Amino acid sequence: LKYFDHLYGFDRPLPVQYVIWLRHVLEGNLGTSVATRTSVASVLVPRIGLTLFLTVYAVAIMVVIGVPLGIVSAVFRSGPSDFFASVGTLTFTAIPTYVTGVVMAVVFGVELQWFPALGGGDIGSFLTRLDHLTLPAVALGLSSMALASRITRSAVIGELEKPHVVGARARGFSGPRVVVKHAVRGSLVPVVTIVGAQIGYLLGGAVVIEYAFGLNGLGSLLVSSVQGKDYAVVQAIALFITAEFLLISLLVDLLYGLIDPRVRLVGRTA
């Protein structure tokens, strides 16, 4: 045991271990896995694809369903569609992801057998992987979809009440044109902000969903690594998730200038 502690540097003070690990990371070396006795990179690479696939699938559900639902709720606010959409989004926002995953696995996977309830998603054709990851992606993206819908609704309602939108309606422009060209376009900044923030949340939430559905991704690897005290793998996964958060934040900041030219003008005057 002392031999392995010395081999992996566990017998050194924690600050020294961290400095050594950071130096190795900057050199492109993520360390060695205690469980497999191989490089951490060789352990992570086969798992990243499934986690990214699952995250992109959940993001697509969030954007394709959540944003249009929020727009419809804003345009027809105080109507039946707004009521049912609001009740649904509030309900899904309050339900934890792991509860949604268990319920969907039991109902749609075991009882109805519409989709596979466990495993898969990392091999086979695109449609096969899509079939295996549908339940996990819906369970993962449902809460974020509800939140994106609520934010979109509030942003579009705020834009619809602005003077230039009211003036466009008074000049006789059609309702769909006013909504798409003025209200939706003006509300994209808060929508993009919440979508970008939720992408990072979805990648982190994949840990629970992958473990619940028996998927062979980074989430299940993180759980097994924590249980096996494979610190190098845990640090590498945490570093990957952190880097993803920073990258998404950078992309969101860059999108602000494309969505709203006023952001670029403020930057130039500053």
Side-chain angles (χ1 to χ4, degrees):
L1 185 59
K2 291 183 179 180
Y3 169 76
F4 287 106
D5 286 344
H6 180 73
L7 179 64
Y8 293 105
F10 296 151
D11 56 346
R12 301 181 181 181
L14 286 177
V16 176
Q17 292 184 41
Y18 176 74
V19 170
I20 294 174
W21 174 80
L22 184 60
R23 186 188 66 193
H24 288 166
V25 168
L26 295 177
E27 295 173 351
N29 179 15
L30 295 175
T32 303
S33 170
V34 176
T36 63
R37 309 289 174 82
T38 58
S39 66
V40 172
S42 65
V43 177
L44 260 62
V45 169
R47 307 270 195 137
I48 290 177
L50 185 143
T51 299
L52 292 180
F53 195 119
L54 175 61
T55 304
V56 171
Y57 197 173
V59 170
I61 292 173
M62 173 181 64
V63 174
V64 174
I65 299 178
V67 174
L69 186 63
I71 295 173
V72 172
S73 296
V75 174
F76 300 101
R77 64 182 183 275
S78 301
S81 58
D82 181 32
F83 172 77
F84 288 111
S86 298
V87 171
T89 53
L90 288 173
T91 301
F92 291 135
T93 303
I95 300 177
T97 302
Y98 64 88
V99 175
T100 306
V102 172
V103 172
M104 296 194 69
V106 172
V107 175
F108 298 103
V110 178
E111 298 294 335
L112 300 178
Q113 297 184 359
W114 289 358
F115 299 97
L118 291 173
D122 54 344
I123 57 174
S125 65
F126 177 79
L127 292 180
T128 301
R129 299 180 66 186
L130 207 65
D131 182 47
H132 279 85
L133 293 179
T134 295
L135 284 183
V138 173
L140 179 61
L142 207 56
S143 178
S144 296
M145 180 271 292
L147 181 59
S149 176
R150 298 294 300 174
I151 297 298
T152 303
R153 179 184 182 276
S154 300
V156 172
I157 288 177
E159 290 294 323
L160 288 174
E161 295 175 350
K162 288 187 176 180
H164 70 279
V165 178
V166 177
R169 283 178 167 176
R171 289 194 296 271
F173 288 106
S174 62
R177 181 180 178 183
V178 172
V179 171
V180 174
K181 188 175 181 180
H182 297 283
V184 174
R185 185 177 180 182
S187 63
L188 283 180
V189 170
V191 173
V192 169
T193 301
I194 192 63
V195 168
Q198 288 301 299
I199 292 175
Y201 164 78
L202 290 175
L203 186 58
V207 173
V208 177
I209 290 299
E210 287 179 7
Y211 189 73
F213 283 90
L215 300 176
N216 195 27
L218 288 181
S220 57
L221 176 63
L222 178 60
V223 174
S224 62
S225 299
V226 171
Q227 293 174 342
K229 298 182 180 180
D230 199 346
Y231 301 119
V233 176
V234 174
Q235 287 175 310
I237 296 176
L239 180 64
F240 176 78
I241 295 176
T242 302
E244 182 268 344
F245 265 100
L246 295 176
L247 179 61
I248 294 299
S249 299
L250 176 61
L251 292 177
V252 169
D253 288 340
L254 294 176
L255 281 175
Y256 286 160
L258 297 176
I259 295 172
D260 192 348
R262 292 172 297 180
V263 176
R264 289 176 291 180
L265 293 176
V266 170
R268 291 176 182 176
T269 55

